[in-house]
Amino acid sequence: MNKKKNSKKIKYIFVTGGVLSSLGKGIAASSIGSLLECSGLKITILKLDPYINVDPGTMNPFQHGEVYVTDDGAETDLDLGHYERFTHAKMRRANNVTAGKIYHNVIQKERKGEYLGATVQVIPHITDEIKGHIKNVGEDVDVVICEIGGTVGDIESLPFLEAIRQFRFDVKPNDVLYVHLTLVPYVKTSDELKTKPTQHSVQKLREIGIQPDVLLCRTERKLSKSMKEKIALFCSVDTNSVITAMDVNSIYEVPLSLEKEGLGGIILDKLGMRTKKPDLTCWEEINKTLKKPEGEVKIGIVGKYVDLKESYKSLTEALTHGGIGNNVKVIFNWIDAEELENGNGLKQLATCDGVLVPGGFGDRGIEGKINAVRFARENKVPYFGICLGMHCAAIEFARHVANLKNANSSEFSTTSPYLVIDLLPDQNANRDMGGTMRLGAQPARLTASSRAHDCYKNNEIHERHRHRFEFNNAYRQQFTAHGLKFTGTSPDGSLVEIVEVDSHPWFLAVQFHPEFKSQPTAAHPLFDGFVHAAIQRHIRRSERTQETQLPQ
């Protein structure tokens, strides 16, 4: 089948990383995208991941970090969250491709006989499949930015690197740009920066056949002119294309930091593109607020993956956005849910201006989360429950307000007499684990005169979901009679989306994941409202403290 060709001339930027992992390729790709957008270009970003999983949906958060969900229901790498937070590009299933997905597609085609009896090999069949995905995301954009996961030198990423090497010859050479993120470490004992890791990383990349056009040198000290000249000489790049990628206090400083080095102009020149001067006013305003907030609030995050903060990346960023929107700094107080099961951690909760219980799976730490909900409800502390956090709120309310002793969720118990959280009617517990949940953007209708409606200022919303279990409608009437309000439901009213405790200053829990739709330039309405409620509690506590300190 012949596809209609896109008449628009598209440029391609490939971002690779070397020396070690977690240097920040995702932030680098996102920042490049933002700089190009600020220059008036339309961009999209693609993440190529070298692992064999079809998607990260079934991966342990301790190994992989957060699973980010797109509007179309794809379970993707957390870097796609950065892409959406830094740019206006909307991510979808096609924006995250894994080695598992590539091999799965190729094997399916082989089984269907689409290769006409040919011997199916990594080159050209796997690399062609990769290149096809790169081209497919480029509809109606000026620039496609493609981040290659992993580190140059890893055996897993070789097919992807080979594919992007070939890509320059599939399009015009000046339509492709290679950006390599590397490390220039500072050695304290000798008080100097070392360029050898960067030289070796570029050497490894050149062995594969890729000559980088731009080097982003991650470092804690500014690179001198002579240092840049040395790197340029050994790595065969222009001196002005050796960019100091300084460590910064906030990821939202990165676009400004890179533009200060002239990165945007360098990329546009090398791609032969002419645009307006980038307008970075929005980033300047964001960083002004981050550096000089008018106050601060402490939010207790009660989770089970607190040892790896990347598991809650979108959540902490959304809280930061709420802080930006309210001109305050949000301090995260990480509380292990298992500690609360033993009663250790209540003192930590008592110091918080708000309590948030995020999503998760499995019964580990559940009773601790339920204890956190009870503490917040009984002590009038602003509470925000997300997905599993809503389930815990429902269980706590059932046990301690609605008099349903030993109420629970069928996810955690088969013997509870009151399963207030249960499987979706069409869910089969024996189905495959991957990709079988309620996923992606779903509509919901809000009740007027509710906190949710006050936050959204809208009657209908669309939010992203990732769950199997729902509120059991058999208990709706009983919960309502005891003061729990169902202020958001699916359009037909069959699924509960938002619950609130009306007699509480701010107690709201949602079935969906609002953190996936928050940006630094526009905090999600619920996070904005939650942080505002935390500020009000902080003010009340400060006033009470001052009153007790007044002389009698």
Side-chain angles (χ1 to χ4, degrees), residues 502-535:
D502 197 33
S503 60
H504 193 282
W506 208 94
F507 188 106
L508 188 147
V510 300
Q511 180 62 81
F512 46 84
H513 287 270
E515 68 270 28
F516 293 148
K517 297 187 77 171
S518 185
Q519 292 184 303
T521 52
H524 188 282
L526 294 183
F527 282 92
D528 187 76
F530 177 55
V531 172
H532 180 75
I535 293 171

Side-chain angles (χ1 to χ4, degrees), residues 487-504:
T487 59
T489 64
S490 57
D492 63 2
S494 64
L495 300 174
V496 173
E497 295 285 2
I498 305 174
V499 298
E500 301 178 20
V501 175
D502 197 33
S503 60
H504 193 282

